[in-house]
């Protein structure tokens, strides 16, 4: 009798979950959601498998997911195998001509196909591409100013073949999504003169989210989200709140570029952006289909 009772309760619980999710399913039906995939969610087998199923499910319920992935650890591993030394400035890998070939091979090849494979094995159809395909990302060389004691100076840093998006042409994304496919994008771009650039995955995802007017940019990270002065998660910020948080120092360190990416995405056309804890299993589904997801949402106003 006990076993029968438990079995009867499970379907009821599942039905209640679906009923609660229905308004959110309707809200996002037909919309585009850009997901930046990286961090623990990418290297932990349990999390990566769940991620593949989540993205497949989004497509199956009528959402159009677009995945932009990183691959820093995989690039570092390959460079070590090839005995090529890496140096970093402000978290960005200094990239010379030999290194950009390796990055293109790893990001646009092995990692890109692995991420697409996670989604394909979950029952959807994902296609791995890079920003080079279809003229998706036109890039320019990234110029950064050196910092001394935390203060920006006039001295420009030479990061080599590190770029930033100059223009996004989303036609290849629309073509794939409209054909029932899920684009999985490696953050590599090309300049107008044909130079290949390595682009930070957060930056690429933000630019793409803005260009396709995404309903949401979901940035999977290894932190809970934006925290207040007491270390408590802030569930939602307006763009003005976020800018004030940076100016006051409440938002600091590595969180600043993530928040700035969200602000740029919202400014460029995304409806909202979320800094999301990718260490939480099914974080994307929790964010989209429940009342309070595990992260910080940033909206224009």
């Amino acid at each position: 009798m006990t076993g029968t009772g438990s079995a009867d309760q499970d379907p009821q619980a599942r039905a209640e979950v679906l009923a609660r999710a229905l308004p959110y399913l309707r809200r996002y039906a037909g919309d585009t959601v850009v997901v930046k995939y990286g961090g623990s969610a990418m290297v932990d087998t349990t999390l990566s498998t769940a991620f593949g199923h989540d993205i497949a499910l989004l497509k199956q319920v009528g959402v159009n997911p677009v995945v932009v992935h990183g691959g820093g650890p995989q690039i570092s591993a390959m460079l070590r195998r090839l005995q090529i030394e890496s140096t970093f400035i402000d978290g960005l890998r200094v990239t010379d001509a030999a290194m950009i070939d390796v990055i293109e091979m790893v990001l646009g090849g092995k990692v890109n196909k692995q991420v697409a494979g996670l989604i394909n094995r979950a029952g959807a159809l994902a296609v791995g591409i890079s920003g080079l395909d279809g003229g998706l990302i036109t890039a320019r060389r990234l110029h950064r100013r050196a910092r001394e004691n935390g203060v920006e100076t006039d001295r420009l840093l030479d990061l080599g073949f590190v770029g930033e998006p100059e223009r996004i042409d989303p036609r290849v994304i629309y073509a794939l999504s409209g054909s029932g496919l899920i684009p999985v994008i490696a953050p590599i771009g090309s300049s107008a003169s044909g130079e290949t650039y390595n682009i930070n995955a957060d930056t690429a995802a933000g630019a793409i989210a803005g260009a396709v007017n995404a309903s949401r940019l979901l940035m999977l990270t290894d932190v809970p989200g934006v925290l207040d002065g007491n270390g408590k998660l802030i569930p939602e910020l307006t763009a003005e709140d976020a800018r004030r948080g940076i100016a006051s120092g409440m938002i600091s360190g590595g969180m600043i570029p993530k928040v700035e990416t969200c602000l740029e995405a919202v400014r460029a056309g995304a409806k909202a952006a979320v800094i999301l804890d990718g260490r939480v299993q099914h974080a994307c589904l929790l964010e989209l289909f429940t009342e309070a997801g595990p992260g910080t949402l940033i909206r224009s106003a």
Side-chain angles (χ1 to χ4, degrees):
M1 294 293 292
T2 302
T4 302
S6 298
D8 289 340
Q9 288 173 6
D10 287 341
Q12 180 68 33
R14 288 196 293 269
E16 289 178 2
V17 169
L18 290 171
R20 291 194 192 102
L22 185 58
Y24 300 97
L25 294 171
R26 288 174 175 163
R27 176 191 295 177
Y28 294 108
D31 286 358
T32 298
V33 172
V34 175
V35 183
K36 185 270 176 172
Y37 178 50
S40 294
M42 198 169 187
V43 297
D44 181 284
T45 302
T46 300
L47 292 174
S48 62
T49 300
F51 172 83
H53 282 88
D54 290 355
I55 297 300
L57 178 61
L58 290 179
K59 191 67 175 180
Q60 289 159 1
V61 299
V63 180
N64 291 313
V66 176
V67 177
V68 182
H69 65 81
Q74 295 89 335
I75 292 170
S76 294
M78 179 59 74
L79 291 172
R80 285 194 298 270
R81 285 179 59 187
L82 297 174
Q83 298 183 334
I84 299 175
E85 186 176 349
S86 292
T87 57
F88 291 85
I89 298 177
D90 292 339
L92 296 172
R93 190 189 305 270
V94 179
T95 305
D96 60 20
M99 199 177 291
I100 192 64
D101 289 340
V102 176
I103 290 171
E104 184 175 356
M105 175 182 67
V106 175
L107 270 186
K110 182 178 181 181
V111 176
N112 187 252
K113 306 317 173 191
Q114 284 177 339
V115 176
L118 289 171
I119 301 166
N120 289 330
R121 287 192 293 275
L125 294 174
V127 176
I129 62 174
S130 80
L132 302 175
D133 294 307
L136 173 57
I137 303 177
T138 300
R140 60 184 170 228
R141 188 176 293 258
L142 177 64
H143 295 290
R144 278 281 177 89
R145 295 188 182 277
R147 288 179 174 271
E148 293 180 5
N149 300 319
V151 179
E152 194 173 81
T153 69
D154 291 332
R155 182 168 61 87
L156 290 176
L157 300 171
D158 183 6
L159 298 170
F161 292 91
V162 175
E164 61 182 352
E166 183 174 35
R167 184 174 63 87
I168 302 293
D169 184 341
R171 285 180 293 176
V172 66
I173 294 176
Y174 295 146
L176 292 171
S177 294
S179 299
L181 305 173
I182 298 172
V184 176
I185 303 167
I188 305 165
S190 176
S191 70
S193 60
E195 291 180 311
T196 299
Y197 287 106
N198 176 29
I199 301 170
N200 177 272
D202 288 355
T203 305
I208 289 169
V212 300
N213 301 122
S215 285
R216 288 290 185 272
L217 164 63
L218 304 181
M219 293 181 58
L220 295 179
T221 68
D222 285 346
V223 295
V226 180
L227 307 180
D228 64 17
N230 297 316
K232 185 178 178 181
L233 177 68
I234 302 173
E236 186 170 328
L237 290 167
T238 65
E240 184 56 34
D241 290 336
R243 283 189 284 268
R244 281 199 299 264
I246 293 173
S248 70
M250 182 191 74
I251 298 172
S252 60
M255 185 56 69
I256 291 177
K258 295 184 184 303
V259 170
E260 288 178 337
T261 293
C262 292
L263 290 172
E264 178 58 25
V266 170
R267 186 204 63 77
K271 292 180 181 176
V274 186
I275 298 172
L276 198 58
D277 194 342
R279 300 167 300 180
V280 176
Q281 198 166 347
H282 304 300
C284 293
L285 300 186
L286 289 169
E287 176 58 40
L288 294 174
F289 300 143
T290 65
E291 188 64 34
T296 299
L297 182 142
I298 297 174
R299 53 186 173 81
S300 59

